[in-house]
Amino acid sequence: MQIKIKTPAKINLTLEIVNKRPDGYHNIKSVMQMIDLYDFLTIKAEKSNKSSIFLDGTSSEIPYNEKNLVYKAAQIFYEKTKLSGYKTDIFIEKNIPVSAGLAGGSANAAGTIYGLNKLFDNILSDKEMHELCKPLGSDLNVCLEGGCLLATGRGEIIQKLPFVKSKVSLIKPIGLGISAKEAYTKYSGLKNKPDYDMTTKLTDAIKIGTDLNQFLYNDLETAVFNDYPQLKQIKTLYPKSVMSGSGSTYFILTGDIPPIENYWVKTGLNFVADGVSLA
């Protein structure tokens, strides 16, 4: 059995930190939007004398072992379904930059659960797949559901919002990745934490169809911005650009910007209404 899945990147149109939780995570409120920049998963499952999971792929920046979220997602799928005696091979074609605030790893993991479920004749319901996604990471439920979503809790509580069409371009300093741990730690150290409630304002703007640009915002950008000249350069060139997730990718709601030396630039992208899906 074999299946190919496409897993889209996401951007945070807003990202606001509500508070720190007892488990060490943060409660957030965020409007997340999937875009048509995709990784691709080729998933094979064959009967075997013993159960095994093997990963491979095109990127040298990710581990192809049990540390990868894809491996953990496959493992948790088999545990939940009690299916055994399968040799599972997953090949990851990476096009979404790593450690970029675009949820590439989360999308891959959500796509693994979705793809295995398709291979095994939809053995799990949509609700059961969402329950599997929750413990694996904050963005998996968003990536599984797709479109435009209001995400709360640590990101796993989702509410569908109306889909709005838009062009988008991405800008990322080459060689600069910012971990979520770094960004959240620096946010915790801010003396004056912002409180603009942009998520509510943007949600209202989406519902009534007004311009989104004035409400795009990210608390974590405030936390890391002054530490990286590369981020300041992006903001100087494109004042309306906003950081996605914990960075270091910025997005701007336009379809075309020129190349920038020492920056990865991806133009001509669009908002999409779906999440992980058949390729």
Side-chain angles (χ1 to χ4, degrees):
M1 299 186 294
Q2 180 173 316
I3 198 167
K4 190 169 185 180
I5 304 296
K6 59 180 183 178
T7 68
K10 67 88 190 151
I11 55 173
N12 298 81
L13 300 179
T14 65
L15 176 53
E16 296 177 289
I17 317 303
V18 177
N19 55 32
K20 191 166 185 178
R21 299 153 50 110
D23 61 8
Y25 289 97
H26 289 77
N27 284 314
I28 65 166
K29 49 185 180 180
S30 175
V31 176
M32 302 193 197
Q33 172 64 57
M34 311 311 291
I35 60 174
D36 60 352
L37 172 64
Y38 297 101
D39 288 344
F40 293 91
L41 307 177
T42 302
I43 305 172
K44 298 178 187 177
E46 299 172 345
K47 283 298 286 181
S48 176
N49 292 330
K50 68 172 190 172
S51 300
S52 59
I53 300 167
F54 295 100
L55 307 184
D56 198 4
T58 60
S59 173
S60 60
E61 297 181 73
I62 60 173
Y64 295 107
N65 55 33
E66 66 280 354
K67 293 180 180 179
N68 194 307
L69 269 181
V70 165
Y71 189 101
K72 294 175 182 177
Q75 202 170 38
I76 204 171
F77 173 85
Y78 283 117
E79 287 171 2
K80 171 68 176 178
T81 58
K82 296 183 169 56
L83 292 164
S84 62
Y86 286 93
K87 177 180 180 289
T88 305
D89 293 283
I90 304 174
F91 186 87
I92 308 165
E93 179 192 323
K94 287 297 289 180
N95 300 299
I96 303 169
V98 177
S99 298
L102 299 174
S106 295
N108 293 167
T112 299
I113 291 170
Y114 176 88
L116 285 169
N117 199 50
K118 287 286 184 192
L119 276 182
F120 290 101
D121 299 319
N122 297 311
I123 190 171
L124 301 178
S125 66
D126 286 352
K127 183 180 179 181
E128 286 172 321
M129 285 196 292
H130 274 289
E131 287 302 315
L132 285 190
C133 283
K134 284 180 181 179
L136 287 173
S138 299
D139 296 330
L140 270 77
N141 296 90
V142 167
C143 297
L144 181 65
E145 185 69 25
C148 184
L149 299 146
L150 173 64
T152 54
R154 57 179 175 82
E156 85 285 7
I157 302 168
I158 56 175
Q159 176 188 330
K160 201 88 169 175
L161 295 173
F163 176 66
V164 178
K165 289 184 178 180
S166 178
K167 295 285 186 184
V168 63
S169 294
L170 304 178
I171 313 160
K172 179 187 179 297
I174 292 171
L176 176 63
I178 301 173
S179 71
K181 182 179 180 182
E182 176 188 348
Y184 277 98
T185 300
K186 287 179 176 176
Y187 175 81
S188 296
L190 291 177
K191 289 182 179 177
N192 298 310
K193 293 184 171 58
D195 184 16
Y196 300 124
D197 200 17
M198 285 299 198
T199 301
T200 301
K201 293 170 185 173
L202 181 69
T203 301
D204 291 342
I206 289 170
K207 288 176 179 176
I208 63 176
T210 57
D211 180 54
L212 307 184
N213 275 287
Q214 60 186 315
F215 304 117
L216 305 177
Y217 175 76
N218 186 341
D219 272 345
L220 296 181
E221 179 182 352
T222 305
V224 301
F225 184 76
N226 287 326
D227 294 332
Y228 296 102
Q230 302 99 311
L231 306 186
K232 294 180 179 180
Q233 166 106 11
I234 295 171
K235 204 77 168 181
T236 299
L237 289 170
Y238 298 103
K240 287 187 176 180
S241 64
V242 176
M243 193 174 84
S244 180
S246 59
S248 58
T249 304
Y250 274 62
F251 67 89
I252 182 168
L253 301 187
T254 182
D256 190 32
I257 59 174
I260 310 169
E261 189 176 357
N262 298 320
Y263 289 80
W264 174 83
V265 175
K266 188 75 174 176
T267 64
L269 298 170
N270 298 277
F271 287 8
V272 292
D274 54 1
V276 299
S277 59
L278 294 170

